[in-house]
Amino acid sequence: MKALILGDGLLGNEICNQTGWDQASRKLGNLNIDNHDELFNLVSGYDIVVNCIAHTDSYSLNPSPHWNINYKFPSNLCDICFNTGTKLIHISTEFVYANNPSPPNEEDLPLPDNTWYAYTKLLADEYIKLRGNNFLICRELHKPNPFPYSKVWDVKTSGDTVDKISTLIIKLIKKGAVGVYNVGTGDKFLKDLTSEAELIPPPPNVPKDTRMNLSKLNKFLNEN
């Protein structure tokens, strides 16, 4: 299996560190997300492409970078993968469920956070589901390890530190998972990721609970 990681952020670098897979990014100078032909030539040499690229300024009111990076780019990448026979691994977010009641599963209708970030991430998910024929969408939340913040919001999540989330994503990839998977390590408060930070109330616009149902993930990993 020849795999390529797109992106050199927290998650992309951690997956690369754990696997040794090839890596391309704008910062590394070997990826231009706006050049279709270059992207086609790059992707066509791989069996699997892991898209970790995202505009993560979650509460920015400027829609343009969210549309361009979180929707247009993965949609174009999906079309390229469809035409080259490359499997697309797309990293999404648990914030597509921010307004869902109770921990939602993959079959529930996502009700996203009221942000351009969550909205465009969900649109990319749905485009890939409609257009793609060989894909894995991982909805997740990851934080640095060690946790670097002196204050932490009083919110609930299924996320974890980037090393643990990366390990789960890699297992799904290597075991051949297909479709949409909620990826996490169980229900927790964000404060559970650190014993040092001060607990503070979140701003009014921040979701208080983005936990997900992880039954599909756990069943697949236990059976494969």
Side-chain angles (χ1 to χ4, degrees):
M1 181 183 72
K2 190 176 182 183
L4 173 68
I5 301 163
L6 300 182
D8 61 357
L10 195 63
L11 186 69
N13 283 340
E14 180 63 28
I15 294 176
C16 185
N17 290 338
Q18 291 191 26
T19 61
W21 292 339
D22 292 346
Q23 188 175 24
S25 75
R26 292 164 292 177
K27 189 183 298 182
L28 293 172
N30 57 353
L31 175 65
N32 183 347
I33 67 172
D34 298 315
N35 189 312
H36 180 89
D37 291 340
E38 285 186 15
L39 190 59
F40 184 95
N41 291 334
L42 177 65
V43 167
S44 61
Y46 290 90
D47 304 306
I48 289 175
V49 169
V50 185
N51 178 33
C52 299
I53 294 174
H55 182 69
T56 56
D57 187 2
S58 306
Y59 298 99
S60 168
L61 298 179
N62 180 7
S64 295
H66 292 294
W67 275 109
N68 292 332
I69 299 172
N70 296 339
Y71 176 69
K72 290 182 180 179
F73 167 63
S75 299
N76 184 34
L77 179 63
C78 175
D79 290 343
I80 290 173
C81 288
F82 181 88
N83 290 322
T84 60
T86 304
K87 184 174 183 178
L88 173 60
I89 316 298
H90 180 67
I91 306 302
S92 186
T93 172
E94 65 180 27
F95 282 86
V96 300
Y97 296 125
N99 286 307
N100 282 75
S102 72
N105 64 43
E106 292 85 350
E107 301 303 318
D108 289 329
L109 175 67
L111 301 175
D113 185 17
N114 188 30
T115 61
W116 287 111
Y117 169 69
Y119 179 60
T120 52
K121 292 293 285 184
L122 178 58
L123 287 178
D125 289 2
E126 296 307 311
Y127 185 92
I128 293 167
K129 287 165 61 179
L130 289 171
R131 172 63 170 158
N133 62 348
N134 187 21
F135 65 87
L136 169 64
I137 295 171
C138 296
R139 291 173 173 164
E140 56 82 41
L141 182 141
H142 59 272
K143 294 295 182 181
N145 186 19
F147 200 81
Y149 310 111
S150 60
K151 298 181 179 180
V152 61
W153 289 334
D154 184 13
V155 296
K156 296 177 182 178
T157 180
S158 294
D160 212 313
T161 54
V162 66
D163 51 315
K164 294 179 181 178
I165 296 299
S166 295
T167 296
L168 291 172
I169 292 172
I170 293 164
K171 286 181 179 179
L172 286 172
I173 294 171
K174 289 186 173 180
K175 291 177 181 291
V178 175
V180 180
Y181 278 80
N182 297 337
V183 179
T185 57
D187 296 350
K188 64 182 69 65
F189 287 92
L190 195 59
K191 177 70 169 63
D192 294 335
L193 301 184
T194 173
S195 60
E196 305 295 332
E198 175 189 353
L199 187 65
I200 60 173
N205 61 330
V206 172
K208 311 305 185 293
D209 187 350
T210 54
R211 292 173 298 157
M212 303 178 294
N213 186 313
L214 302 174
S215 298
K216 181 179 179 180
L217 169 76
N218 294 329
K219 181 179 180 181
F220 180 84
L221 293 181
N222 288 332
E223 293 180 352
N224 292 274

